[in-house]
Each structure stands twice: as C-alpha cells, then as structure tokens.
C-alpha cells in the first residue's frame, strides 16, 4: 500500500509542466525544473508517519489544518513558511491532494509555466 500511495503522489507531481523528481534529505522530492521545490515525501521526520509536505499560498495551510487535523498538519522546518503537511497513512480524498499539489506548484513556479498549466499543456 505504501508504494502505491507514493506512486500516486509521484504521478500527481510529475504531471505538472517541467516538474522533476530527485532525492532531497533522503526522501523523494519534487521541483519545478531543478529548483524550486514544491513538495517532498516525509517518511522519517519525528513521528514515523507517512506524509508529504507541500508549498502553499498564503492562508492555505491554516485552512487545510482547520478543515481536518487528522488529515493535515503544520510540518516542522517549513511550516513557518506556510507549507502544509498531508498524512498519507489515513484515508484521503485524492481530489484534495491533487488540489494541494497543484497549488504548491503554482506557489513556486514561474508565470510562464503557470500559464502552460492554465492552457492545459
């Protein structure tokens, strides 16, 4: 199950224009081109729970956490910059996760790539 969840997350991330994957801090992480990073798997950070962390626009982190603290959280290290944490070891609505991944990408991607995304490329 763990691998299928990671594969599903990977597919969401790599479907975005010029998204790339590489290992960062021992975990798979997703970037716009070579940089900046917009999401990272988090499997070994303090609580041994499978999750991912994603960049988020202003106010989104609080909104997701307020909706459901069993599914979303403020991650260590990057939470102060507004990133949202998403538990992958609980039932999730993958439409929500797709929205979070896309918003993470939009938060850090250059306007030219966001325009490509909007155009459906």
């Amino acid at each position: 199950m763990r691998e299928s969840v990671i594969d599903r997350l990977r597919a969401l991330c790599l479907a975005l224009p010029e998204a790339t994957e590489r290992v960062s801090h021992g975990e798979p992480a997703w970037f716009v081109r070579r940089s900046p990073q917009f999401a990272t798997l988090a499997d070994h950070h303090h609580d041994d729970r499978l999750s991912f962390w994603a960049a988020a626009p202003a106010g989104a982190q609080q909104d997701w956490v307020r909706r459901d603290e069993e599914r979303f959280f403020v991650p260590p290290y990057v939470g102060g910059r507004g990133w949202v944490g998403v538990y992958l070891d609980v039932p999730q609505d993958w439409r929500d996760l797709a929205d979070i991944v896309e918003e993470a990408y939009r938060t850090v991607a250059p306007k030219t790539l966001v325009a490509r995304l909007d155009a459906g490329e």
Side-chain angles (χ1 to χ4, degrees):
M1 180 184 127
R2 179 184 181 280
E3 289 306 315
S4 65
V5 168
I6 296 169
D7 289 342
R8 203 164 173 186
L9 175 62
R10 176 177 283 121
L12 287 175
C13 292
L14 293 178
L16 299 164
E18 298 190 41
T20 62
E21 178 180 334
R22 68 178 184 272
V23 173
S24 176
H25 299 88
E27 304 280 5
W30 295 276
F31 298 81
V32 177
R33 299 176 176 141
R34 290 193 43 77
S35 184
Q37 184 174 1
F38 66 93
T40 187
L41 189 70
D43 192 16
H44 304 291
H45 290 88
H46 305 296
D47 59 9
D48 295 323
R49 294 191 67 186
L50 182 61
S51 64
F52 78 95
W53 304 345
Q61 175 200 77
Q62 297 85 356
D63 183 49
W64 286 110
V65 172
R66 192 175 320 119
R67 287 184 201 192
D68 190 342
E69 291 183 0
E70 299 297 316
R71 295 172 49 208
F72 309 107
F73 64 99
V74 176
Y77 312 114
V78 294
R81 292 187 288 153
W83 283 47
V84 63
V86 180
Y87 290 120
L88 295 173
D89 60 358
V90 297
Q92 284 285 359
D93 181 336
W94 281 85
R95 292 171 297 194
D96 288 344
L97 275 54
D99 288 345
I100 288 168
V101 167
E102 183 176 316
E103 285 301 313
Y105 177 88
R106 288 176 178 278
T107 298
V108 302
K111 291 178 186 178
T112 55
L113 292 181
V114 172
R116 282 180 52 190
L117 181 62
D118 290 341
E121 291 184 32

